[in-house]
Amino acid sequence: MATLLAPACSAGHKGDDTTPPKVRTDHSTTGAAAAALVDAGPAAGTLGESWHVDTRPPADSSDPQVFRRLVDGELIVGTVTGVDAYDAGTGRARWHYREPGRKVTGYAETSGSLVVMTADPDLARGSSRWTGLATATGRVRWTSARPGYQLTSGGLDVAAGQGVLPVLPVSGSGVRGVDASTGRTRWIRPVAEHGCKTPIIDQLGAQDTDGSLFALREECAGHVRVLALDPATGTVRWAHDADRRAVTVVRRGIALIDDIKGVTVVAANGHDVVAGRPCPAPCRFAVTGEHAVVTSASQALAVDLTSGKVTARPLLAPYGALAVAGDEVYGVRGHLGQGGVRLLPAALDAIDPAAGTVRTGPAPFALAEQPGDAGERAVPWIAVAGRRLYAGYSVSGLFRTTSYDTTKAGSPGELGGIPQSDWPDACAVAPGYKAASPPVTPAVSVGSVALHDLSCAYRLAGDTNASLDIAWVAPTPDDAHRLLTVDAQAQPVQVDGADEAYAYPSPPVLWFRAGRFVMRIDQTGLDARALASAAAKHLRTH
């Protein structure tokens, strides 16, 4: 989503009638549009990978950036070197666009158009070029020199909505709406009131919008206001007081203004629905139907946009990203369950704010929250459509985008469709070893489901204890293998009977897998590996 306004590369073009520089392109197109995706999330159960695509950032990039969009049955992935479109159902490549030797400075997607903004690597004056592509086919619709300053995320994501890109002219005042399908100016509006201004530098960090409204920060002799612009006409829908550090998040025509006083939810008519609520970072916002969801580091708020009623519930861990499908808001949290043992998968919650319910289940990946954890370091982007979950993250320096669908539906969905009876007693998986006395294991709850006996302290040589945890039981060995990802700190080690094993040095943690069972021991020495071997061999025969 677009989050702030920054200057594009050069400052020489004053209108959209200036001839753009001629460039060499690497460009392919396709014919018919991709099949549309149904507006629904995945069924409860275990999610498995259906396909993934990898995108390589420039080798010399110190701050690699990626643009992702799921739109019109396509997954669009762009970096500073170019953009590729894939069929969102199959993962097959559909079209691509690059300008070899040049740098992409931004992408704007709206209403069937993708605008690619490029410049020479040194961002030289006069080198900027905007190219409008049809998202369905990748065909070029228009080219132009840069007509002004675009609203961008500070990365590659440029604000656009209802077929329009908002642009602040290089010189002069007001805002210009550029038609994304033609490159022509659709409207020009002097939005600031008399005695006020909307300076470019003061827009930095000012908004994160899905394009349903554009937000500008207006300064008026000692006070600041947020202006909400209608993308189709440039008309100011409403204005709201804020402070100089305020960030405005817009979803489906509803705005969240986050400033020093807390967060304010502003309805489409400009009226406050909620005001002054604290939202400790990370603060996330989503809207579906007549309800908004606001999440923070410690709680989630469901806001009825009609009545203003707010329902709060605590969060065990914050959501890294939110996505909407149908009437539900989907969020990914760091780990599944609550209790004395940390289960391996991240949690995927489906929130129905109208019904006041939350459906929790395992995400198809793990998230490492602290040293010694298995899993990905971060999954900063998710989307939900076509009864699938799409997730974007980094793997070995590559941008990976993966499509997941439900491979095993069933109950309990909280455990990915695996019955509680399939989970072994941790104190009964290592023949020949004695459990420390007394074996005390607190229950782990996932929604309404409770698991018991997931941890056991075993006595090793030298009268020392090692704690063995059952971290997950997957439907298949392949499902378990995909969950058990580790970073460069973990070293592969030999554990007889295990399919794979990894040791973290500090703190010492031994992860190992036997078939569909993933386990963890809080030591990594030879005695701990012998314990792991006994457990792995036992579970292979049971």
Side-chain angles (χ1 to χ4, degrees):
M1 300 297 174
T3 55
L4 59 90
L5 189 148
C9 345
S10 65
H13 302 296
K14 297 183 180 180
D16 53 9
D17 56 349
T18 305
T19 302
K22 293 183 178 181
V23 299
R24 182 168 60 93
T25 63
D26 172 9
H27 183 206
S28 70
T29 62
T30 190
L37 300 177
V38 64
D39 185 22
T46 292
L47 300 180
E49 178 181 321
S50 50
W51 54 264
H52 73 261
V53 294
D54 288 336
T55 306
R56 186 177 298 278
D60 59 351
S61 175
S62 59
D63 182 24
Q65 298 167 343
V66 63
F67 167 91
R68 292 184 176 96
R69 274 293 188 279
L70 188 67
V71 60
D72 299 333
E74 289 184 324
L75 170 70
I76 299 174
V77 183
T79 68
V80 297
T81 58
V83 60
D84 295 87
Y86 304 90
D87 188 301
T90 65
R92 292 174 184 160
R94 289 181 51 80
W95 56 263
H96 69 263
Y97 181 86
R98 308 184 218 292
E99 296 178 6
R102 286 168 58 82
K103 177 181 180 179
V104 177
T105 59
Y107 296 99
E109 179 277 320
T110 176
S111 302
S113 294
L114 178 73
V115 180
V116 183
M117 304 164 186
T118 61
D120 287 343
D122 60 359
L123 308 182
R125 181 183 179 91
S127 69
S128 297
R129 170 187 171 103
W130 288 14
T131 302
L133 306 175
T135 55
T137 63
R139 292 173 182 167
V140 172
R141 287 176 165 171
W142 56 270
T143 61
S144 165
R146 178 179 63 90
Y149 296 96
Q150 72 262 28
L151 293 166
T152 174
S153 64
L156 298 174
D157 197 351
V158 174
Q162 298 186 42
V164 172
L165 281 75
V167 173
L168 269 66
V170 174
S171 61
S173 60
V175 182
R176 173 182 298 171
V178 175
D179 191 313
S181 65
T182 64
R184 299 188 180 98
T185 297
R186 186 183 292 186
W187 48 258
I188 300 176
R189 296 287 184 185
V191 296
E193 290 189 350
H194 180 70
C196 302
K197 56 184 179 179
T198 54
I200 293 166
I201 192 66
D202 290 336
Q203 308 306 321
L204 296 175
Q207 73 160 296
D208 172 355
T209 179
D210 62 359
S212 54
L213 288 176
F214 301 144
L216 287 177
R217 185 181 294 165
E218 176 188 67
E219 293 195 357
C220 307
H223 72 277
V224 175
R225 299 196 310 168
V226 173
L227 305 179
L229 276 63
D230 184 332
T233 64
T235 303
V236 176
R237 291 256 194 97
W238 49 258
H240 199 288
D241 290 340
D243 63 42
R244 294 183 182 277
R245 291 180 293 178
V247 175
T248 304
V249 183
V250 181
R251 299 290 184 268
R252 302 190 179 194
I254 310 300
L256 177 87
I257 300 177
D258 187 359
D259 63 14
I260 195 169
K261 300 184 295 293
V263 295
T264 301
V265 176
V266 184
N269 60 9
H271 293 163
D272 293 358
V273 180
V274 173
R277 287 270 185 164
C279 193
C283 193
R284 305 284 185 243
F285 184 56
V287 175
T288 176
E290 295 301 317
H291 290 80
V293 173
V294 183
T295 70
S296 68
S298 58
Q299 68 174 351
L301 305 178
V303 181
D304 187 318
L305 296 171
T306 302
S307 68
K309 180 182 177 182
V310 178
T311 304
R313 66 179 177 87
L315 283 179
L316 301 175
Y319 293 116
L322 297 177
V324 174
D327 296 328
E328 294 183 312
V329 176
Y330 290 78
V332 172
R333 292 185 284 112
H335 60 275
L336 186 69
Q338 180 180 12
V341 176
R342 289 192 58 187
L343 302 179
L344 176 58
L348 177 65
D349 290 347
I351 306 164
D352 186 334
T357 60
V358 180
R359 173 167 50 87
T360 299
F365 44 79
L367 285 173
E369 295 184 295
Q370 57 193 27
D373 283 352
E376 310 299 337
R377 287 299 160 192
V379 178
W381 180 87
I382 65 169
V384 180
R387 298 188 175 89
R388 298 175 184 234
L389 169 72
Y390 298 83
Y393 48 96
S394 295
V395 175
S396 301
L398 300 174
F399 293 123
R400 175 164 294 178
T401 311
T402 304
S403 169
Y404 303 96
D405 57 11
T406 303
T407 56
K408 177 176 175 53
S411 181
E414 293 89 341
L415 301 180
I418 301 301
Q420 291 139 289
S421 58
D422 281 17
W423 287 69
D425 181 341
C427 285
V429 297
Y433 286 84
K434 292 184 178 181
S437 179
V440 178
T441 304
V444 175
S445 59
V446 185
S448 61
V449 175
L451 294 169
H452 300 272
D453 306 318
L454 296 188
S455 183
C456 187
Y458 281 96
R459 197 167 299 264
L460 302 183
D463 204 29
T464 60
N465 292 340
S467 179
L468 183 150
D469 298 338
I470 309 297
W472 193 243
V473 180
T476 69
D478 284 345
D479 290 317
H481 169 69
R482 282 192 289 267
L483 276 176
L484 186 55
T485 59
V486 295
D487 62 20
Q489 298 296 315
Q491 297 298 313
V493 295
Q494 178 65 38
V495 171
D496 292 341
D499 295 289
E500 53 188 322
Y502 307 94
Y504 279 96
S506 180
V509 179
L510 177 66
W511 288 91
F512 63 104
R513 179 180 65 84
R516 64 194 185 104
F517 299 91
V518 180
M519 288 157 284
R520 171 182 55 226
I521 296 177
D522 63 355
Q523 296 183 31
T524 60
L526 294 178
D527 289 339
R529 296 182 201 180
L531 172 63
S533 177
K537 291 176 180 177
H538 173 77
L539 288 174
R540 283 195 171 282
T541 60
H542 289 76

